[in-house]
Amino acid sequence: MKRLLQVLLVSTAFISVASAATVYVDGKPVNQKIIDQAMAQLKKNPMAAQQLSNPQFQQEMLQSIGMQQAILADGTAQGLEKTPEYQAKLAEIKPMIFAQMMQEKISAQPITDAQIKAKYDQMKKDAAAQQQYDVSHILVKDQKTANDVEAQLKKGAKFADLAKKYSIDPGSKANGGELGWSDGSNYVPEFTAAIKTLKAGQYTTTPVKTQFGYHIIKLNGTKTGAASFPAYDKVKDQIKQQIQMERTKAFFDSIKTKHKVTVK
């Protein structure tokens, strides 16, 4: 039943009609209000909205809405609405219907340019306070190999050359161990802690053991996140979407708290 509901909702969301086209079921035109509602849903989906000018897409969606109305007409003629099975299935999907209606209500609330700019300024401020690290590493399986690599570094061997020769990390080996810029949150704690003990140009003189093996870590440089923070106009739309998602999440979180949803 859930799968059927998903199919019908997706079909409805992707309906597009040309101004001169009309859908007929049993020789009668489909109510324009139904088509308009489908159009409104379509415009909320950027990818689908791009297909509005495609005649083939329009024809397929007209067929889709016509099929939905045909199913509705046939089911009504069979008296399915009056059956206990229908009532049971309706109760089953009612939470999904309510959730969709609630989400649409939240989405209808406007997001102003001032709110978007305030969010941008806060994100930029947070980025300015966040340290970024440009890191390279050489990952080996055992401490003996790690010690050997350390010894070669002390003799003047180039870090990148040793990474290409010894590292077992396929993602950075070919690049001389280069991992790129990060705030450290995507690394295991031991790795991040070691980075923060280094100054630019330094490497760990004692191998760092993690669940992956033994690392020799080099800090190539540091910067704050604000140095590469994108311009407002480039991220305005993304921030608006983020605000919308945060509003939706906050709303449903409040329902969860209100009704004390727990798993024991």
Side-chain angles (χ1 to χ4, degrees), residues 220-237:
N220 302 312
T222 61
K223 66 179 181 180
T224 62
S228 58
F229 203 77
Y232 174 70
D233 290 341
K234 291 184 177 181
V235 293
K236 179 180 178 180
D237 290 342

Side-chain angles (χ1 to χ4, degrees), residues 203-222:
Y203 62 85
T204 53
T205 54
T206 301
V208 178
K209 186 178 185 302
T210 72
Q211 65 198 71
F212 303 107
Y214 292 81
H215 308 256
I216 298 89
I217 304 168
K218 181 181 179 182
L219 179 61
N220 302 312
T222 61

Side-chain angles (χ1 to χ4, degrees), residues 11 164 168 191 199 231:
S11 297
K164 292 177 181 178
I168 60 173
F191 194 100
K199 293 182 180 180

